[in-house]
Amino acid sequence: MSEETAYVPLLGGAAQCLREGGLVAFPTETVYGLGADALNKDAAGKIYAAKGRPSDNPLIVHIAEVAAMDRLACVNDMARLLAESFWPGPLTLVLPKREIVPDNTTGGLKTVALRMPAHPAALALIRQSGVYVAAPSANISGRPSPTTAAHVIEDMMGKAGYIIDGGPVGIGIESTIVDVTGEIPAILRPGYITKEMLEAVIGKVMYDPAVEKPMEGVPPKAPGMKYTHYAPKGELTLVELSTDNQQQRVVHKLRELAEEKRRQGFRTGIMAPKETLSCYEGAADILVCVGERKNQATVAAGLYAALRKFDDADVDYIYAESFRGEGVSYAIMNRLLKAAGHRVIKV
Ligand code: AMP
Ligand code: MG
């Protein structure tokens, strides 16, 4: 029996809930999603209410077969090639939408975002329900995305008909979003699938300018990118090296900042990877480990859970090491910089 088939007997109620226009939270390989029937405008509308999500922030439509692309979108060769190469997986493709996709699902845009998730429970749920599943991350808007069912319960208990527990997710940050409507595909949101991985399949790919720096007065193409996502309740500041690689100076600065705020009577937290965590002993009210620096995939997997721990501990000021680099680090920094409101101290 495949992993996906093993889920089938467990998902009858949840699948029916989706068919009847209800909300179901489910695991994917990236983060947990809050799903509804993508072609039922009232069902999709419930997602915005449950999350407190602005109505202009469109949803990603989750499908279980590549063939479903053509029912929902006008598909070009580039999109087909990317889908065949990376699905099921953490890649979302933005394409011109077809008439059947309601405005509630696309936030009024003429494009639709499509993804085939790689989690067996997600695929089983989509197939069993027989609907296409519109789903953003299953967090209250502005909170870190959920990477365990416990996070979903914190935010969505009583709002979703079902919450499916698939254990902690594997990747931990949201999918790479690529706009394939133009001549050169543009990354609207970096993720686990990197620019280099995409370029190996389709040639030149660019970053949408808004990924690097949100531009004053120019709305980003992925409307979600303009909101202060992933914000912990405490004020987060990143500390990084400006030139050499004496990590010791970062440790010194982080300790100094946290100790100063603590003297002023605030609750403080420090977030660091396993390699340096013990260097911060005694400098803050709580220390939170975020994976291993030498294995950045573990940092991605632990990032949102770490940020939630500071919320649980009611921390006022959080100081964290930064994770500049290539590949998945690029996506980690994209999320961290937003969580920090771009507050970075260089030493
Ligand atoms: P979430 O799943 O919570 O990360 O939210 C979905 C993300 O996909 C948001 O950042 C949206 O702005 C983005 N998105 C969804 N549909 C589109 C679309 N048609 N064009 C551009 N971005 C989209
Ligand atoms: Mg989200």
Side-chain angles (χ1 to χ4, degrees):
M1 187 159 65
S2 76
E3 265 192 282
E4 191 185 323
T5 340
Y7 274 102
V8 169
L10 307 173
L11 296 179
Q16 189 179 350
C17 178
L18 283 177
R19 270 194 303 276
E20 290 171 353
L23 300 183
V24 173
F26 62 98
T28 80
E29 78 280 28
T30 58
V31 300
Y32 274 74
L34 180 67
D37 178 353
L39 301 188
N40 173 340
K41 73 173 177 15
D42 298 326
K46 290 179 191 168
I47 291 176
Y48 294 91
K51 282 180 60 91
R53 182 178 176 100
S55 62
D56 68 345
N57 190 359
L59 313 173
I60 293 171
V61 180
H62 293 71
I63 59 180
E65 327 284 339
V66 176
M69 286 175 92
D70 294 283
R71 284 208 58 206
L72 300 166
C74 308
V75 185
N76 54 42
D77 291 345
M78 203 146 48
R80 220 175 287 282
L81 188 56
L82 287 173
E84 279 158 10
S85 308
F86 295 103
W87 285 357
L91 178 70
T92 296
L93 299 171
V94 172
L95 288 161
K97 84 173 186 79
R98 291 205 189 274
E99 199 69 39
I100 55 164
V101 184
D103 280 349
N104 262 2
T105 294
T106 65
L109 295 177
K110 294 293 162 226
T111 53
V112 62
L114 299 179
R115 171 166 118 82
M116 190 196 295
H119 196 293
L123 290 171
L125 179 68
I126 300 165
R127 289 213 177 96
Q128 210 172 333
S129 65
V131 304
Y132 306 121
V133 180
S137 50
N139 52 289
I140 291 173
S141 273
R143 292 212 71 198
S145 296
T147 54
T148 66
H151 296 159
V152 181
I153 290 168
E154 268 172 42
D155 286 13
M156 290 300 154
M157 199 60 176
K159 296 180 177 175
Y162 286 78
I163 295 174
I164 299 164
D165 187 349
V169 301
I171 291 179
I173 51 174
E174 304 84 346
S175 60
T176 306
I177 302 181
V178 182
D179 179 346
V180 269
T181 60
E183 211 165 292
I184 300 174
I187 297 175
L188 305 185
R189 175 173 77 184
Y192 192 79
I193 307 266
T194 62
K195 182 167 177 279
E196 293 69 30
M197 289 158 78
L198 296 166
E199 285 182 333
V201 174
I202 48 166
K204 190 168 170 49
V205 172
M206 60 181 196
Y207 284 113
D208 186 74
V211 170
E212 288 287 342
K213 209 172 178 56
M215 283 174 298
E216 202 76 37
V218 184
K221 281 197 188 148
M225 299 301 271
K226 72 172 173 276
Y227 297 106
T228 334
H229 264 93
Y230 334 117
K233 291 180 205 154
E235 183 186 288
L236 171 64
T237 303
L238 308 180
V239 177
E240 65 184 25
L241 290 166
S242 48
T243 48
D244 56 25
N245 55 1
Q246 283 176 280
Q247 192 63 25
Q248 201 46 41
R249 292 170 57 193
V250 169
V251 170
H252 183 80
K253 186 70 182 174
L254 267 166
R255 286 193 66 104
E256 186 182 282
L257 289 165
E259 281 165 355
E260 173 62 21
K261 283 289 180 222
R262 196 139 72 138
R263 267 196 298 278
Q264 294 169 11
F266 294 108
R267 278 183 66 72
T268 54
I270 290 178
M271 181 165 81
K274 194 171 160 204
E275 290 90 335
T276 46
L277 193 71
S278 64
C279 306
Y280 300 104
E281 215 65 62
D285 294 304
I286 72 162
L287 304 185
V288 176
C289 184
V290 62
E292 286 181 86
R293 184 173 289 281
K294 68 169 191 287
N295 179 359
Q296 301 263 311
T298 63
V299 176
L303 181 64
Y304 289 137
L307 292 175
R308 278 179 183 255
K309 282 191 188 143
F310 293 112
D311 284 356
D312 295 344
D314 273 323
V315 165
D316 302 304
Y317 289 92
I318 310 162
Y319 299 95
E321 291 188 16
S322 91
F323 294 89
R324 298 260 181 210
E326 301 295 306
V328 72
S329 303
Y330 188 83
I332 293 168
M333 277 310 281
N334 171 269
R335 310 306 194 269
L336 257 181
L337 284 167
K338 279 182 186 211
H342 292 266
R343 254 182 312 277
V344 181
I345 294 177
K346 293 191 187 279
V347 292

